[in-house]
Amino acid sequence: MSSDSLEKEVQEVSLMALHKEEQLHPDHPDDYLREGERWATEEDMSTLRRVSDRIPTAAFFVLLTEFCERFTYYGISAMFQNYVKNPYKAENSNPGAIDGGQQMATGLNNFFQFWCYITPIFGAIIADQWLGKFKTILLFSFIYIIGDLILTLTSIPASIRSGGALPGLIIAMITIGAGTGGVKANVSPMVAEQYGRYRPFVRTLKNGKQVVVDRELTVQSIFNWFYWSINLGGLSAIATTEIEANVDFWPAYLLPTLVFVICIFVFWFGRKKYVITKPTGSIVVKAYSVFSTGIRNYRAAKAENRLIVGEDGKPLNWISYAKPSLCVNSGDLNWSDKFVDELYTALRSCKIFLCYPVFWLCYGQMSNNMVSQSGQMNTGNVPNDIMQNLDPLCIIVLLPIFERFIYPAFRRCGLELRPVTRITCGFLVAAMAMAYAAILQHFIYITGPYYDKAGDDGNGFNHISAGIQVPGYILVGISEILASITGLEYAFKRAPESMKSIVMSIFLFTNAGGSILAFCFNSISTNPHLVKNFAIVSGLMGAFTILFFVCFRHYDKRDAEEAREKTLFEPVSEKAGLSEDRV
């Protein structure tokens, strides 16, 4: 081959490569490579080890913000059960203020959780339609701090003795719940949006080995660390419950309030580093129009026997009839075929959240009935509501082990734990945790001196150590790692770019569903019915675990195939330019 022809071919290949790089990702043309990196081929994906990328600096500001917000949330809510249930400064009693009893305490706790997970819907709509995530988080943070101040001021001794504690608590719950909704719906998608690389690429490690850096694993890692920061903040309850027991409630509520002020400054300080996603307009109104148009057109086509068959030989789904390409008066529609496809993807993905309310019912037991359960046992010199901190402590210890060892070990064995598999395992472990709580409650009731009246009407505890409650909290923690984190990750990855806050808020709304279920158990959330309470919750979770796996087991394979189809791979022939024998 002559030198002129060789030079010409090299130029042609270079132009092809340049053109290829200009088409990096259909939705994200700003994707890039750093020095020493190259795009992955399909062969690389099947032969090289897949790893997660480094977490961007901007994401750490969001993680720190979430840590401060959760420090505040768990620091104040951990005291609600005792604050409502027990009398103020009573002899031989756990700390308290309102003296409302077990049922009122559990009911208000369930209301607070319910309210906190309904409000993200409104926070998501405001962010996606008008303000964007950054401004929405700032706005609702100020609402949050007002609720914290109301709670702190109405928990001073003069207010408690004059009857101001209960109305102050209710107003604070409503205000804090509104604030946390705007923050919660947007902070989790915002942290993942800080990672801006979409196409898998090959990186050479310091030891000379090549690995594929995979966006899916990176997003999974970001949400693992996001949840780790949540539970690190959750340890605030150790400090607040100690202050509650040894000083008073008002300084215990003041500490989280001051930390939340720090939260606002931390979030504001990182503003120049964030990847900001602009609001995209009235998604909810547009989605409603798509649904109504699709249903109307589908019914008309079915009545006239003119249903359209797709390439797979099956009739198109009802929402496809809202696509402008299939509508006669498409000029009147203010959306595209792509938007309809994205909306259908979001709708289909949200079906996986249907079983989560039962999971959150299990999780909610930890902050109310399991707190009361520990109050019926000998906790030594620590307050009974400090026991629930074993859950975040367990997650802080175990999550890095899952991230660094357990998940990679399964991948090396060719048994990757995809979302539905992880969620199923998490549901099963949650059912085991409630079964353990039921068995433990039985032993509490058959142990003296107060038997099934322990903790009631000023009664003390039975002679059984609270230490045997530890396995129950460990099981709850493992179930969160497998089910809760995966739900957050799935909500983000399966949501279209324009609907991430909305889909995330729908996932969070399932927690409100768990609180509604908990209201149904209010009549048996007291002595001597707690064995029945835990046993029914365990059986319900077990049944829904089976139902979930039967209904959604095929989602793992389908999602993997769809992700593979959407991934742009570098053709093997172009991976290294011209082969050596041609040069």
Side-chain angles (χ1 to χ4, degrees):
M1 182 181 290
S2 66
S3 60
D4 290 340
S5 61
L6 178 60
E7 182 178 355
K8 183 178 179 181
E9 187 167 358
V10 170
Q11 289 176 349
E12 290 176 352
V13 171
S14 299
L15 288 171
M16 289 174 60
L18 180 61
H19 177 72
K20 187 81 176 175
E21 289 179 3
E22 290 173 350
Q23 304 295 325
L24 297 181
H25 195 283
D27 299 318
H28 304 279
D30 55 342
D31 208 347
Y32 59 91
L33 283 174
R34 294 191 178 98
E35 184 178 354
E37 299 173 345
R38 62 175 175 81
W39 301 122
T41 66
E42 290 192 73
E43 181 183 356
D44 292 328
M45 295 296 289
S46 59
T47 57
L48 298 180
R49 182 164 65 95
R50 292 163 56 220
V51 299
S52 61
D53 203 357
R54 307 177 189 95
I55 298 177
T57 303
F60 283 105
F61 279 95
V62 184
L63 290 175
L64 190 55
T65 301
E66 179 66 2
F67 161 77
C68 293
E69 189 275 329
R70 290 291 94 180
F71 184 102
T72 304
Y73 177 86
Y74 287 113
I76 62 174
S77 61
M79 298 180 284
F80 283 166
Q81 191 76 6
N82 279 351
Y83 189 71
V84 177
K85 178 184 175 181
N86 303 317
Y88 187 58
K89 300 292 185 181
E91 295 262 341
N92 300 319
S93 176
N94 288 314
I98 296 172
D99 195 19
Q102 168 81 6
Q103 286 188 320
M104 178 188 284
T106 302
L108 282 174
N109 246 314
N110 289 333
F111 162 75
F112 182 64
Q113 291 180 29
F114 170 77
W115 176 240
C116 284
Y117 289 99
I118 275 188
T119 52
I121 297 287
F122 305 106
I125 292 172
I126 291 170
D128 282 348
Q129 294 187 26
W130 295 298
L131 298 182
K133 297 180 182 66
F134 176 75
K135 291 180 180 178
T136 302
I137 292 171
L138 275 181
L139 172 64
F140 280 84
S141 292
F142 285 107
I143 296 173
Y144 201 130
I145 203 75
I146 291 171
D148 289 336
L149 289 171
I150 291 171
L151 182 61
T152 303
L153 293 174
T154 56
S155 64
I156 61 175
S159 176
I160 293 174
R161 292 192 176 98
S162 63
L166 181 58
L169 175 66
I170 293 172
I171 294 170
M173 281 181 164
I174 293 171
T175 311
I176 292 169
T180 197
V183 174
K184 196 69 179 170
N186 295 291
V187 73
S188 47
M190 186 173 176
V191 70
E193 286 174 353
Q194 304 313 302
Y195 182 70
R197 307 187 72 173
Y198 296 86
R199 189 174 165 187
F201 60 91
V202 176
R203 174 183 289 159
T204 303
L205 303 178
K206 292 181 180 179
N207 60 10
K209 292 184 178 181
Q210 290 189 326
V211 294
V212 172
V213 180
D214 192 330
R215 173 176 171 80
E216 182 177 346
L217 295 183
T218 304
V219 171
Q220 179 181 333
S221 178
I222 288 173
F223 277 109
N224 282 340
W225 288 111
F226 177 78
Y227 210 78
W228 189 86
S229 69
I230 288 175
N231 285 275
L232 185 64
L235 290 179
S236 63
I238 296 176
T240 56
T241 51
E242 282 290 336
I243 296 172
E244 158 208 274
N246 297 305
V247 186
D248 208 340
F249 280 100
W250 71 265
Y253 286 132
L254 180 62
L255 174 63
T257 302
L258 295 176
V259 170
F260 197 79
V261 174
I262 298 172
C263 165
I264 297 174
F265 280 107
V266 167
F267 186 67
W268 173 257
F269 186 76
R271 67 192 183 281
K272 294 183 179 179
K273 298 181 181 293
Y274 297 139
V275 174
I276 302 294
T277 303
K278 295 181 180 179
T280 54
S282 185
I283 294 295
V284 175
V285 174
K286 189 185 291 187
Y288 174 78
S289 299
V290 169
F291 291 152
S292 59
T293 301
I295 293 171
R296 184 175 60 254
N297 291 348
Y298 175 77
R299 286 177 176 174
K302 188 175 182 181
E304 297 171 11
N305 198 25
R306 53 179 179 84
L307 292 176
I308 302 172
V309 178
E311 294 179 359
D312 57 359
K314 297 179 181 179
L316 295 181
N317 55 64
W318 61 271
I319 201 172
S320 296
Y321 288 84
K323 292 182 177 180
S325 61
L326 299 179
C327 295
V328 177
N329 299 321
S330 59
D332 299 333
L333 306 180
N334 64 339
W335 58 82
S336 63
D337 285 8
K338 181 184 176 183
F339 179 80
V340 176
D341 288 332
E342 288 180 343
L343 192 59
Y344 176 67
T345 299
L347 194 64
R348 187 177 62 180
S349 300
C350 287
K351 290 194 296 185
I352 208 170
F353 304 149
L354 291 175
C355 293
Y356 266 90
V358 183
F359 172 76
W360 296 123
L361 173 65
C362 295
Y363 174 79
Q365 302 298 307
M366 183 184 68
S367 61
N368 45 56
N369 288 324
M370 288 180 72
V371 171
S372 297
Q373 185 184 69
S374 62
Q376 300 168 2
M377 298 186 286
N378 184 3
T379 59
N381 295 321
V382 298
N384 67 305
D385 48 5
I386 205 171
M387 295 296 294
Q388 60 188 303
N389 293 285
L390 290 169
D391 170 70
L393 189 61
C394 169
I395 292 173
I396 289 169
V397 173
L398 291 181
L399 188 51
I401 296 174
F402 274 81
E403 167 81 9
R404 300 293 184 185
F405 302 104
I406 296 177
Y407 291 150
F410 274 96
R411 285 197 294 270
R412 283 193 291 269
C413 296
L415 300 171
E416 184 171 354
L417 295 177
R418 298 198 64 83
V420 171
T421 304
R422 277 181 275 152
I423 293 169
T424 303
C425 293
F427 285 176
L428 181 61
V429 175
M432 293 167 58
M434 293 301 101
Y436 183 85
I439 295 169
L440 176 57
Q441 191 66 50
H442 169 72
F443 280 103
I444 292 172
Y445 282 167
I446 63 173
T447 304
Y450 298 103
Y451 302 99
D452 61 2
K453 299 291 190 298
D456 290 348
D457 301 323
N459 291 341
F461 54 82
N462 287 333
H463 294 161
I464 183 169
S465 172
I468 59 175
Q469 215 184 14
V470 172
Y473 283 108
I474 292 176
L475 290 173
V476 172
I478 294 173
S479 73
E480 285 186 75
I481 292 173
L482 292 167
S484 182
I485 300 176
T486 307
L488 287 169
E489 172 196 335
Y490 193 86
F492 177 82
K493 289 196 299 189
R494 299 297 298 172
E497 292 293 327
S498 59
M499 305 178 200
K500 291 199 179 294
S501 290
I502 291 288
V503 174
M504 188 66 71
S505 69
I506 291 172
F507 171 69
L508 295 173
F509 179 73
T510 62
N511 207 312
S515 298
I516 292 174
L517 289 176
F519 278 118
C520 301
F521 286 79
N522 221 31
S523 62
I524 56 172
S525 294
T526 186
N527 291 331
H529 308 296
L530 285 173
V531 174
K532 187 190 301 182
N533 174 85
F534 289 125
I536 294 174
V537 171
S538 176
L540 201 60
M541 186 73 261
F544 270 83
T545 301
I546 297 171
L547 179 65
F548 176 84
F549 183 73
V550 169
C551 293
F552 301 111
R553 66 186 184 279
H554 62 286
Y555 270 39
D556 278 345
K557 183 178 179 181
R558 186 205 66 190
D559 292 345
E561 290 173 351
E562 288 184 359
R564 193 173 187 82
E565 289 172 2
K566 292 179 180 178
T567 302
L568 296 178
F569 293 110
E570 191 77 0
V572 177
S573 59
E574 297 179 14
K575 180 172 77 173
L578 294 172
S579 59
E580 292 181 3
D581 61 333
R582 296 180 65 187
V583 177

